[in-house]
Amino acid sequence: MTATAGHDPVTQLLAQLLGASYEATAALPDATPLLGAGLGLDSRTAVTLLARIKSEIGVDVAAEDLFLDALESVGALREFVLARLAT
Amino acid sequence: MQPDSAEIKCVVWDLDGTVWDGVFLERDDREEITPRADVLAMMERLDAAGVVNSVASRTASVVETELRRLPRLWALLVAPQLSWGPKSESIRAIAETLGISTSSMLLVDDSPFERAEVLARCPGVQVTDRREALAMFERGDRMPRDLSPDARRRVDRYRAELRRQEAGAQFSSLEDFLWTTLLKLTIRPAVATDTVRISELVRRTRRLNSSGLPLPVDAAEKLVSQPGMLVAELQDRFGDYGLIGLTVVEANRDMWWAPLIAMSCRVQGRGVAPALLDHVTRVAAEAGATSFAVPLRPSDGNTELRVLLRQLGFSGIRDGSPPAPSGAARALLAAEPGSVVWLVRQLGELPAGPSPWVSLEADDSWATFDDRHVGCMR
């Protein structure tokens, strides 16, 4: 992925999958659920999101978070990936 | 061809010089075109064995009109490709339409050029000419080994799938479209004749498979004799999908669990897997259970099942010990117990079902247990 300077990579990927702008996606409250009532990602799209986070950011959420708590909300996912990147 | 090649799911026939002798567009106007009897007979045998027949011919698209006048041949063909473009593109178009990989396809073509072009550009595809193909099929080489009644109906299902794709293209929202498809999910206890299909489904599924381990036919047989072994069949207005899902449900007092879940990816994107899982948790809730657990072996392949369970409100069991499996669950979870994680859904007030467009017909008689103990624990 060509990360834009100053842009958070998870938000950028999410924006691409949602077909929304980076700014609109970044403005979502952290507590916005990714699945169901919230962004309403279906299971297939959520799997695609995780696969792209793995290949483009290098964090394997599905392997490191067996219960997928990171899918709880936009903020949880961002936090999980950024924490892994920082270590 | 490699003698150890994989099972063939689709045979793609060339027309001129293969299905019939000569070149269709170059024949005398009054001359009738007749498919070769040996090819037609072989196509029918393949069809009966669950192998799809298709056609890729570099010719004018008007030939389709002529093909339709040959009802015996036309009825056997799925997704025929008639165009002047490279044959490799036709092969890829067929693979995409059927949702299969080119490595499970065989091109039968009299032209060494076409065979070489396809071989060079379609990974894993096999190529041969008519004589060799007929001899190979006669020997039964690379014919499907799993001949459950369900596998035999595979060709009909591909045809139904094409009608679905055509209809789906008219709707902008997937959900709007799904309401029009009249999906009907039947959930019932398994019977003896389901055994082979149950074993096959567990072996062939990956994305929506909680165990990741094979279920030999004799193990499936044992499960079938227990009341909580459930199977799911799906129909819609386009046709019958057959037996596409299964789960084993067990209970002990307040907690019920499903030690095995397997759903075919053929029904992907229709809300069927959530409908099945949601239904069994509701049955548990009605019977007085307070929670429903799913033990699974996480793998690269089954992330989607984990996502789906999360979507339904399942979360990981971290505090306290997971339930002690018994009955069928014990046998299913005995192998590699360390790799199993448990997810649980609390059965308080349940939200509305996840897939309102799926109409359910469920035989829940299995869920009436003495003392709320599932029969398989006896």
Side-chain angles (χ1 to χ4, degrees), chain B residues 21-232:
Chain B
D21 295 319
V23 177
F24 181 83
L25 290 174
E26 293 170 6
R27 80 200 191 290
D28 185 321
D29 268 354
R30 284 159 298 179
E31 203 182 323
E32 289 280 316
I33 197 81
T34 320
R36 291 176 58 101
D38 53 357
V39 171
L40 264 183
M42 187 52 74
M43 283 177 152
E44 280 166 353
R45 278 173 57 186
L46 291 166
D47 186 89
V51 177
V52 176
N53 289 284
S54 188
V55 150
S57 177
R58 300 234 280 175
T59 189
S61 52
V62 296
V63 173
E64 184 177 325
T65 319
E66 299 301 322
L67 272 182
R68 286 175 186 274
R69 289 185 191 144
L70 301 165
R72 193 174 151 206
L73 174 62
W74 182 250
L76 289 163
L77 300 181
V78 178
Q81 306 290 316
L82 307 169
S83 86
W84 293 111
K87 212 159 256 198
S88 56
E89 278 169 27
S90 298
I91 301 283
R92 277 200 287 266
I94 295 168
E96 194 167 314
T97 307
L98 299 181
I100 61 176
S101 135
T102 52
S103 61
S104 56
M105 297 171 79
L106 170 75
L107 170 71
V108 184
D109 202 309
D110 63 318
S111 155
F113 173 88
E114 303 292 6
R115 295 201 300 265
E117 192 264 336
V118 165
L119 207 49
R121 300 186 62 206
C122 296
V125 78
Q126 302 169 50
V127 299
T128 188
D129 61 15
R130 177 182 65 213
R131 188 196 306 256
E132 204 185 313
L134 294 179
M136 185 181 92
F137 295 140
E138 203 60 61
R139 289 194 302 271
D141 280 5
R142 262 147 286 168
M143 296 284 273
R145 280 171 289 271
D146 57 349
L147 276 185
S148 70
D150 223 71
R152 278 196 209 99
R153 287 196 302 269
R154 197 173 289 149
V155 179
D156 289 334
R157 280 198 301 268
Y158 281 128
R159 290 201 186 93
E161 182 57 31
L162 293 183
R163 292 197 296 277
R164 257 174 223 121
Q165 287 175 8
E166 273 170 32
Q170 300 162 13
F171 289 84
S172 53
S173 136
L174 177 63
E175 198 178 318
D176 287 351
F177 169 64
L178 287 172
W179 279 103
T180 71
T181 59
L182 311 178
L183 282 160
K184 193 178 120 195
L185 183 66
T186 307
I187 302 172
R188 61 168 175 82
V191 293
T193 47
D194 298 323
T195 310
V196 173
R197 174 60 181 157
I198 286 170
S199 171
E200 177 186 79
L201 192 64
V202 173
R203 175 165 47 88
R204 294 172 73 116
T205 50
R206 202 167 120 83
R207 291 206 291 256
L208 297 178
N209 180 318
S210 64
S211 111
L213 299 177
L215 182 73
V217 171
D218 56 339
E221 227 160 57
K222 279 197 195 109
L223 289 177
V224 167
S225 65
Q226 300 173 348
M229 170 78 239
L230 307 178
V231 292

Side-chain angles (χ1 to χ4, degrees), chain A residues 35-36 40-44 46-47 50 54 60-63 65-72, chain B residues 174 207 268 296 298-300 303-308 310-311 314-318 341-343:
Chain A
L35 309 168
L41 295 188
D42 61 27
S43 57
R44 194 78 186 274
V47 171
L50 295 183
K54 182 182 173 185
D60 191 347
V61 179
D65 177 18
L66 294 182
F67 298 132
L68 299 181
D69 292 334
L71 291 182
E72 188 61 40
Chain B
L174 177 63
R207 291 206 291 256
Q268 178 96 42
L296 63 79
S299 72
D300 276 356
T303 306
E304 185 161 348
L305 180 60
R306 280 185 281 156
V307 172
L308 210 136
R310 257 217 95 86
Q311 237 169 352
F314 282 79
S315 58
I317 299 184
R318 300 156 210 284
V341 300
W342 290 74
L343 292 117

Side-chain angles (χ1 to χ4, degrees), chain B residues 211-260:
Chain B
S211 111
L213 299 177
L215 182 73
V217 171
D218 56 339
E221 227 160 57
K222 279 197 195 109
L223 289 177
V224 167
S225 65
Q226 300 173 348
M229 170 78 239
L230 307 178
V231 292
E233 290 159 320
L234 188 68
Q235 285 180 322
D236 65 16
R237 68 182 168 94
F238 305 100
D240 197 343
Y241 295 82
L243 200 164
I244 46 78
L246 61 90
T247 181
V248 177
V249 180
E250 292 194 358
N252 190 2
R253 299 184 190 88
D254 295 341
M255 178 178 274
W256 288 34
W257 60 79
L260 180 62

Side-chain angles (χ1 to χ4, degrees), chain A residues 22-42:
Chain A
Y22 179 87
E23 288 69 25
T25 311
L28 290 169
D30 275 354
T32 310
L34 284 161
L35 309 168
L39 291 184
L41 295 188
D42 61 27

